Amino acid sequence: MVAERIEASGLNLEERIVDIWRCAKVIKGGRRFTFAAMAVVGNGHGIAGMGYGKGREVPIAIEKAVKDAKKHLVRVPTYGSTIPHEVRGKYATAAVVMIPALPGTGVIAGQAVRAVLDSIGIRDVLTKSVGGNNNAKNLVKATFEALLQLRNREDIAALRGVTIQDDPVLVQSLRVHQSEPQRQRPVMHEDRPRRRGPRRDKDGAGQSSASPAVQAAAAAPAAEEKKKSE
């Protein structure tokens, strides 16, 4: 599928840094360090792009990566908060599988793949890296290869020359359900007496929680009977 190029002018793009790498070159006077960065930009509504930049300093590398990403913006078809269908993308030895998910599932993905999906605006999807390489660069490129293979219902209907009816069950399931209000626990009144169990002393024997005056009054009849018996 040929990607549709988008101009960055007039778009509110959000930048995300995927990763930063440091490279050292051995020269006569020692080692020279350079930095490389990969960035992803997107508006959160189906438009995203990736870029790669190098520089002597980290800010310069990030700036170049963001500029490169804005030059390679593409439009990705979505279906609600997920993708239209299952898709698999491969770049070099990295491979990514993406499966649609119901609302509330969230983005199940790693750091590199999540940055791409968040920039597009996909909030519910299942992903899995099934390749032999988990390099962040290759994973991002494999993710874009997979996203560029997506086609919506209108494109398929136009290619086949037919009208595809919407599945009412699927449409109903893709609606975001409003969360029910949480039930609050009833507040205990301060004037309500609290039940307390018998206290435990160091020896483990039970000890009453009554006041000393009440304990003395309760022990008085027993003391009198003991004196009479003596």
Side-chain angles (χ1 to χ4, degrees):
M1 181 179 178
V2 180
E4 178 187 356
R5 297 297 178 181
I6 309 296
E7 295 295 334
S9 58
L11 296 176
N12 185 14
L13 300 175
E14 185 178 354
E15 305 170 3
R16 289 179 173 83
I17 307 302
V18 178
D19 205 349
I20 299 175
W21 297 270
R22 188 185 70 173
C23 180
K25 180 181 179 181
V26 179
I27 58 177
K28 185 176 180 180
R31 290 189 298 176
R32 178 183 299 170
F33 294 99
T34 57
F35 298 90
M38 174 170 281
V40 177
V41 298
N43 65 344
H45 298 284
I47 297 178
M50 67 173 179
Y52 186 76
K54 300 179 182 180
R56 292 286 185 89
E57 302 292 337
V58 175
I60 298 176
I62 294 176
E63 182 181 359
K64 290 182 178 180
V66 172
K67 288 183 178 180
D68 186 43
K70 293 181 179 180
K71 295 178 182 178
H72 299 87
L73 294 176
V74 295
R75 188 183 302 276
V76 178
T78 59
Y79 189 69
S81 61
T82 185
I83 57 179
H85 54 84
E86 182 178 348
V87 69
R88 178 190 180 108
K90 185 176 181 181
Y91 182 85
T93 57
V96 177
V97 175
M98 289 185 285
I99 304 174
L102 295 177
T105 305
V107 178
I108 310 301
Q111 179 181 1
V113 180
R114 180 185 293 272
V116 179
L117 298 176
D118 289 343
S119 63
I120 296 174
I122 299 174
R123 299 185 297 274
D124 303 296
V125 67
L126 303 174
T127 66
K128 178 67 176 178
S129 174
V130 295
N133 188 358
N134 291 329
N135 191 318
K137 301 177 186 177
N138 293 344
L139 284 178
V140 171
K141 294 180 180 179
T143 303
F144 271 95
E145 289 292 332
L147 294 173
L148 293 178
Q149 299 176 21
L150 293 174
R151 291 182 292 181
N152 51 26
R153 301 172 68 90
E154 290 77 10
D155 295 338
I156 298 299
L159 290 174
R160 297 181 180 180
V162 297
T163 303
I164 302 178
Q165 300 293 337
D166 290 336
D167 188 357
V169 179
L170 180 60
V171 173
Q172 182 67 21
S173 63
L174 289 177
R175 292 179 181 175
V176 179
H177 300 283
Q178 297 181 354
S179 59
E180 297 180 357
Q182 298 181 357
R183 297 181 179 178
Q184 299 181 356
R185 296 182 59 185
V187 180
M188 301 296 293
H189 298 284
E190 296 182 357
D191 56 350
R192 182 180 300 177
R194 296 183 180 180
R195 295 182 179 179
R196 296 182 180 179
R199 297 180 181 178
R200 296 287 180 178
D201 53 9
K202 296 182 180 180
D203 299 334
Q207 182 178 358
S208 176
S209 60
S211 62
V214 176
Q215 294 180 5
E224 293 179 358
E225 292 181 0
K226 185 176 182 181
K227 290 181 180 180
K228 291 179 180 180
S229 60
E230 292 177 353

